[in-house]
DNA sequence: GACAACCTACCTACTGATAGGTAAGTTATA
DNA sequence: TATAACTTACCTATCAGTAGGTAGGTTGTC
């Protein structure tokens, strides 16, 4: 793993725990074994790093999701695949969704970062809209918004109350 | 309004925009017209201020909600009253729910603050459980979690995409 | 020799917090 | 009623620590 990748990985963990303000160039540099000034070589400003982080997160999230049409064709429910990805983000990583946290503090974010967060949700909405349409939903756009909302909200509640069973209860509602 | 109240008011605005890290004693002091050192007179530490803020927020939220049994008795749907309070937090204030944002960054918060955020959600869950039970719901506890989740999530999405119509679409699902 | 990937050595701005002081008001005691 | 003791609500000055960022130098690889 390159230093640049290591920086992004360290930053992702910190942001998913405490938001955009929860990481510093110094901390990141210490964790990957370089000096803080060198972080600026890879990412000129903190906003650049934040934007790259959200961009990468969105890409790997979408890649992990796959194609909703293909999922449906293979006999699986794409909505369950979707909620399973949220579940593993919460249970396996024991952390919030990166863009969920950043989205909540959207109004205090540098514009480059906010743009990437918007991209995350727009892509998620498009995916879910397609998925609900495949399931024969009469209002797939509305269902798409309801699905992301309830999953992001359930993550937030589970984190707040430090009990992932809240998330599990909510995902049963989805079935 | 006392200086102490003014400090809390200024802090609430900042936290609802960018989280716990989005306010400093100096900024708050400037806004209310005292020196930053004097803020420590009212709130010994930043964590004390954060906890007081969440505590006050919870109390006024619950007070604004009223009694779900009485609401039902008066012929209104308590769940609509509940979602209306979230709506005004988002539309009127144009800000996130204080405890929603703090809850998302829960793992990076001082314990005193986290405790108050937990209190917010536990009280909300209790209210909603009673409300859903009044409505004849067969699984009021589960419905309660689903209701807060979807509303907090919808706020988050609306903030992220800077478009409150997402919230409106989601609340229609609730009916 | 060119470029990538660092480094040292800074800078300015700001953070929460503390020490010690002051003026005005309240309360208790003789 | 006078005075001492104490409280409230601030103040100035300063602290060590951390923030993001910059200029310019070094090292290793193609």
């Amino acid at each position: 793993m390159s230093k640049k990748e290591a920086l992004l990985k360290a930053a992702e963990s910190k942001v998913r725990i405490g938001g955009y303000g929860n990481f510093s160039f110094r901390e990141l540099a210490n964790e990957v074994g370089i000096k803080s000034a060198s972080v600026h070589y890879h990412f000129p400003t903190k906003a650049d790093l934040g934007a790259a982080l959200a961009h990468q997160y969105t890409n790997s999230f979408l890649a992990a999701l796959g194609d909703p049409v293909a999922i449906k064709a293979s006999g699986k429910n794409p909505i369950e695949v979707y909620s399973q990805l949220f579940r593993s983000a919460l249970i396996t990583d024991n952390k919030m969704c990166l863009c969920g946290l950043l989205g909540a503090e959207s109004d205090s974010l540098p514009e480059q970062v906010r743009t990437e967060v918007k991209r995350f949700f727009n892509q998620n909405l498009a995916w879910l809209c397609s998925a609900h349409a495949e399931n024969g939903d009469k209002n797939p756009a509305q269902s798409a918004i309801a699905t992301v909302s309830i999953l992001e909200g359930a993550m937030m509640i589970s984190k707040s109350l430090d009990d992932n069973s809240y998330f599990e209860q909510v995902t049963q509602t989805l079935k």
Side-chain angles (χ1 to χ4, degrees), chain A residues 38-118:
Chain A
S38 306
V39 180
H40 289 277
Y41 169 77
H42 300 287
F43 306 100
T45 67
K46 187 176 179 174
D48 289 320
L49 200 163
L53 182 59
H55 192 88
Q56 188 198 52
Y57 187 84
T58 302
N59 287 355
S60 57
F61 200 87
L62 263 290
L65 238 27
D67 177 30
V69 180
I71 292 166
K72 185 70 184 182
S74 78
K76 279 184 283 185
N77 181 357
I79 301 305
E80 272 183 43
V81 170
Y82 189 82
S83 78
Q84 183 53 41
L85 191 55
F86 267 76
R87 177 176 292 107
S88 70
L90 177 68
I91 315 287
T92 311
D93 302 350
N94 197 31
K95 291 191 181 73
M96 265 295 292
C97 166
L98 181 99
C99 289
L101 222 172
L102 290 178
E105 44 185 22
S106 200
D107 284 340
S108 71
L109 257 32
E111 199 153 314
Q112 319 162 44
V113 184
R114 191 164 50 228
T115 300
E116 291 298 332
V117 175
K118 280 191 187 184

